[in-house]
Amino acid sequence: MKLSRPTPATRNEGLDAWRALLMAAGIFVHGSTLLAPDAVLLFVQTVSHLFRVGTFDALAGYLAAVAIGRHGGVPWLMRRLRQVGVPLVFGMLWICPLIPVLIALGPVERPLPLPFEWHHLWFLAGLLAYSPLAVVLDAADRRWNLAPRLCERYGPEKPRARLFVLMVVVTAASLHEVGAVALRAAVSPDWTERLGNAPLIPGYAPLFAFGFVMARCERLRRRLVTDCRFATAMLALLVLGELGWGWSGWASAALGHGLRATFSALVSAAAPLLVFILVLRSSLLIRTLPLAVRRIADASYTIYLVHFPIIIAINAQLARVAWSPQTKYAIAVTLAAWLGYRFHTHVVKRSAVAAFLFNGRLSNVDPSPRLDRLLQRWEEQAQGAPAMVVAGKRPRLRPSGRLRQ
């Protein structure tokens, strides 16, 4: 059996859009930072914790398999280390130290930060750690036919495919629990609180591997994607169980904190996989993307990097007024999204240095917000006068955004 390796013609814009939207959705999670506890804000945080990051990691594994199939493992890894590593290091050196300064400008008193704070950038640390894993999975697939063997074993019937999903869920939950125990044993309580997201990195590694396998194993992918009713029903039960158990004190008191934590770990591993299956199904229905979605997707990486300090600055100042938490949350989320997008279009897209620091790009070919209209005009001219086009190349752009013939 031949390996099911995606080709350059199989680019799925729906998956790219989902990946960008899941990353930019971090605004809705962090928008409640420094705000008083509220039932609505707690609901948003709980739902996001159940599926957003895990689904993104599974999707990242899928797209990594596609990219490695096109470009090869080592070239992809070198580019990946630059695209994720440079913004991570820049954020650790400049963005994270800025956050306690922004908090100090408000009236809310906070304890002094530790020398190491990674805040929302733990997410990039996980992606960076998964990059070598993708290369290892690709090498194993090439040498031992990993994907075909999994297809033959778990792809023929739906019960076997569901068993494969269950195995991934149990593995992910186990790694998360082991990581949490190791963290509590290795560091002090203060560090444990600030590094609380660290166990999620090994916990989500099986989800990343699951996405990689789904890209390579077409038979298994089709079997799971056509089983959407089961995925939807299980997802609804898990979410309702997590919300009901988390918000009802009698359940935790009756069954104990240990069982409650185990159930939450299983839900945090199962819900992202079920959502990922539904995302794959929905991507089959997406043929083209609106221009607004494309622009948000293009700016999602920058928005994710800069939205947290923006939210901290806004909420620190809103603490001076006696408004409801929902009102402050709406203001913080709206301003953070708008300012993050404007920062991308007016700074990152116009500066090669900013593009390298915030997006890990070595070159910036889109310095003007009017590029879409310029390229459309050039294509219309090329269609009307094909003799003017030299070897089918796109025109070069000056820093001012004008076309050079």
Side-chain angles (χ1 to χ4, degrees), residues 370-385 388-389 394-395 401-403 405:
R370 298 175 297 173
L371 180 68
D372 294 332
R373 288 179 292 177
L374 293 173
L375 289 180
Q376 182 179 4
R377 185 184 308 171
W378 173 80
E379 290 175 356
E380 293 175 355
Q381 294 176 355
Q383 293 176 359
M388 297 178 59
V389 181
R394 288 186 179 270
R402 296 182 179 179
L403 299 177
Q405 302 294 338

Side-chain angles (χ1 to χ4, degrees), residues 83-97:
Q83 292 176 345
V84 178
V86 171
L88 174 61
V89 173
F90 175 77
M92 293 296 300
L93 293 178
W94 294 98
I95 296 179
C96 290

Side-chain angles (χ1 to χ4, degrees), residues 122-141:
W122 74 270
F123 179 60
L124 297 185
L127 290 179
L128 194 65
Y130 302 149
S131 299
L133 175 61
V135 178
V136 171
L137 289 173
D138 177 70
D141 191 11

Side-chain angles (χ1 to χ4, degrees), residues 93-389:
L93 293 178
W94 294 98
I95 296 179
C96 290
L98 180 63
I99 292 176
V101 177
L102 297 175
I103 295 177
L105 296 177
V108 180
E109 294 184 1
R110 293 282 172 173
L112 293 176
L114 292 175
F116 173 82
E117 293 273 5
W118 60 358
H119 298 292
H120 63 305
L121 297 183
W122 74 270
F123 179 60
L124 297 185
L127 290 179
L128 194 65
Y130 302 149
S131 299
L133 175 61
V135 178
V136 171
L137 289 173
D138 177 70
D141 191 11
R142 294 177 181 273
R143 184 169 183 178
W144 296 299
N145 293 330
L146 178 63
R149 290 183 179 182
L150 291 175
C151 284
E152 292 177 358
R153 186 167 185 176
Y154 299 104
E157 302 174 355
K158 287 184 179 179
R160 292 188 179 183
R162 295 173 183 175
L163 176 61
F164 179 71
V165 174
L166 179 61
M167 293 168 55
V168 176
V169 169
V170 173
T171 303
S174 301
L175 289 177
H176 177 267
E177 289 298 303
V178 171
V181 172
L183 180 65
R184 289 194 296 267
V187 300
S188 64
D190 290 339
W191 281 90
T192 302
E193 180 181 358
R194 287 165 172 79
L195 299 177
N197 291 324
L200 294 176
I201 295 178
Y204 286 148
L207 277 61
F208 181 88
F210 176 81
F212 191 97
V213 171
M214 288 284 282
R216 294 290 175 87
C217 188
E218 183 178 0
R219 191 176 184 181
L220 178 61
R221 180 174 69 249
R222 289 183 178 180
R223 186 68 64 189
L224 291 174
V225 167
T226 56
D227 200 12
C228 284
R229 291 184 179 179
F230 174 79
T232 304
M234 290 300 301
L235 179 63
L237 289 176
L238 291 175
V239 172
L240 291 176
E242 175 67 14
L243 293 177
W245 198 345
W247 288 2
S248 59
W250 66 267
S252 299
L255 298 176
H257 178 73
L259 186 58
R260 168 75 175 89
T262 302
F263 179 77
S264 297
L266 289 173
V267 173
S268 298
L273 292 187
L274 297 174
V275 174
F276 173 63
I277 294 172
L278 298 178
V279 165
L280 289 180
R281 178 62 180 268
S282 68
S283 67
L284 300 176
L285 306 176
I286 301 175
R287 300 300 180 185
T288 58
L289 296 175
L291 181 59
V293 176
R294 289 178 179 272
R295 289 176 174 174
I296 294 175
D298 179 61
S300 61
Y301 199 3
T302 303
I303 293 174
Y304 183 81
L305 286 173
V306 303
H307 81 277
F308 194 64
I310 294 175
I311 287 175
I312 292 295
I314 294 173
N315 285 342
Q317 298 304 316
L318 289 178
R320 303 177 185 275
V321 296
W323 293 344
S324 66
Q326 295 90 343
T327 302
K328 297 179 181 179
Y329 175 80
I331 294 174
V333 168
T334 303
L335 287 179
W338 184 77
L339 291 174
Y341 178 78
R342 288 301 180 184
F343 181 81
H344 179 78
T345 57
H346 288 71
V347 178
V348 175
K349 294 184 72 173
R350 297 186 179 187
S351 169
V353 175
F356 178 71
L357 295 177
F358 287 90
N359 292 168
R361 297 179 183 176
L362 290 178
S363 61
N364 190 4
V365 297
D366 189 2
S368 173
R370 298 175 297 173
L371 180 68
D372 294 332
R373 288 179 292 177
L374 293 173
L375 289 180
Q376 182 179 4
R377 185 184 308 171
W378 173 80
E379 290 175 356
E380 293 175 355
Q381 294 176 355
Q383 293 176 359
M388 297 178 59
V389 181

